[in-house]
Amino acid sequence: MSPRILAIIAAFSASFIYGVNHTIAKGLMPDVIGPYGFILLRVSGAAIIFWIISLFYQREKIAFEDWGRLVLCAIFGMVINMNMFFKGLELSTPINSSVVITLSPVLLLILSALILSERITLLKGIGITLGLGGALLLILFGVKTQANAPNIPLGNLLFIVNATSYALYLIFVKKLVEKYSSITLMKFLFLIAFLINIPIGSSQFAAVEWATLGFDEIWKLGFVVIGTTVLTYLFNIYALKQLSPAVIGVFMYLQPLIAALFAIITGSDQLTTLRVIAASLIFTGVYLATRKKKVKVLADES
């Protein structure tokens, strides 16, 4: 099998894991484990795994001046981002979460304009407006509650906080990615995130009745820690070696489809007309906001 085919399989696998994670993670909260305790488990497990993996790589030393940025990246990428997503998932629904988080590229564009002074064109401005409009439609006019979602508007709002925090992480981590290997960054980022998350999630983590957990709960917890946190990262890294970032980005649009199908099949969620309209606005907005202008190249006539 060619390396490119393997890369496509890896990219699809990452999107598939992310897609089903919306339903699997939600099914564990809050009866098995609270959202903040879940994140403490997630970052501690990932930290252990990445530190073990790092033993097989050349050791890198983090420069003193980079520690502040590293801590900032951990806060936005593995603390605020993850806690807001899981708390939002507890309050809202798998389909809503998978749709709203696709706003990440739009929010990244807005924050890049504010922080990095990048220019926003008219087309991108229209895309931003449509994308945010779709999200507001879900928050303001969507179903307020359902059996497994006690506060859908607040949960959807937390998804936007989650996506905003992740966009900030992407902006701040860029300089670190240029200096250090991915494994080095991940092992330190998750270690810092673990330390910060201890006071946030320790009480919920301690409240879990670990001795009484059945196989169904254990494999789902393992899926989130190993699959969603570690394997997806490794799959995307492998895929990026053969595919362009633009191609990888296309697979992001598979996540809501996979999440919706899985949630509907398992009976965890259902489609509504409003959700379809909101998703259409968000997808169109993301497409317009991230669309690159084609440059015509004139042939050399000399």
Side-chain angles (χ1 to χ4, degrees), residues 87 115 121 236:
K87 184 61 179 179
I115 298 173
T121 63
N236 279 327

Side-chain angles (χ1 to χ4, degrees), residues 7 10-11 14 50 57 177 181-183 186 230-243 248:
F50 278 116
Y57 287 80
V177 171
S181 72
S182 300
I183 297 299
M186 288 300 107
V230 178
L231 287 183
T232 52
Y233 172 79
L234 295 176
F235 283 154
N236 279 327
I237 287 296
Y238 177 80
L240 278 169
K241 292 181 179 180
Q242 299 293 330
L243 307 173
I248 297 294

Side-chain angles (χ1 to χ4, degrees), residues 52-193:
I52 292 173
I53 293 174
S54 72
L55 297 176
F56 301 94
Y57 287 80
Q58 184 176 355
R59 185 179 177 185
E60 291 180 291
K61 184 179 180 180
I62 304 294
F64 177 77
E65 62 271 16
D66 290 330
W67 278 104
R69 182 178 288 268
L70 200 68
V71 171
L72 201 61
C73 289
I75 290 172
F76 285 120
M78 286 87 178
V79 180
I80 298 175
N81 166 41
M82 290 187 177
N83 280 292
M84 291 301 97
F85 175 73
F86 269 52
K87 184 61 179 179
L89 193 56
E90 179 191 17
L91 298 174
S92 188
T93 71
I95 291 178
N96 282 344
S97 65
S98 65
V99 169
V100 175
I101 63 168
T102 58
L103 271 177
S104 291
V106 171
L107 295 170
L108 180 59
L109 187 65
I110 295 172
L111 292 170
S112 296
L114 294 174
I115 298 173
L116 305 177
S117 300
E118 293 187 2
R119 180 172 170 267
I120 294 180
T121 63
L122 176 61
L123 188 64
K124 289 182 177 180
I126 294 172
I128 290 171
T129 302
L130 289 175
L132 294 179
L136 287 175
L137 193 64
L138 279 178
I139 294 171
L140 298 176
F141 303 104
V143 177
K144 304 303 180 186
T145 61
Q146 62 183 55
N148 62 342
N151 195 334
I152 293 176
L154 178 57
N156 291 344
L157 185 61
L158 293 180
F159 293 143
I160 294 180
V161 175
N162 147 252
T164 302
S165 180
Y166 186 70
L168 286 168
Y169 160 75
L170 291 177
I171 290 173
F172 291 126
V173 82
K174 186 176 180 180
K175 287 186 178 180
L176 296 176
V177 171
E178 294 170 354
K179 292 181 65 174
Y180 306 103
S181 72
S182 300
I183 297 299
T184 296
L185 286 178
M186 288 300 107
K187 75 174 186 179
F188 282 116
L189 284 172
F190 277 106
L191 176 60
I192 295 168

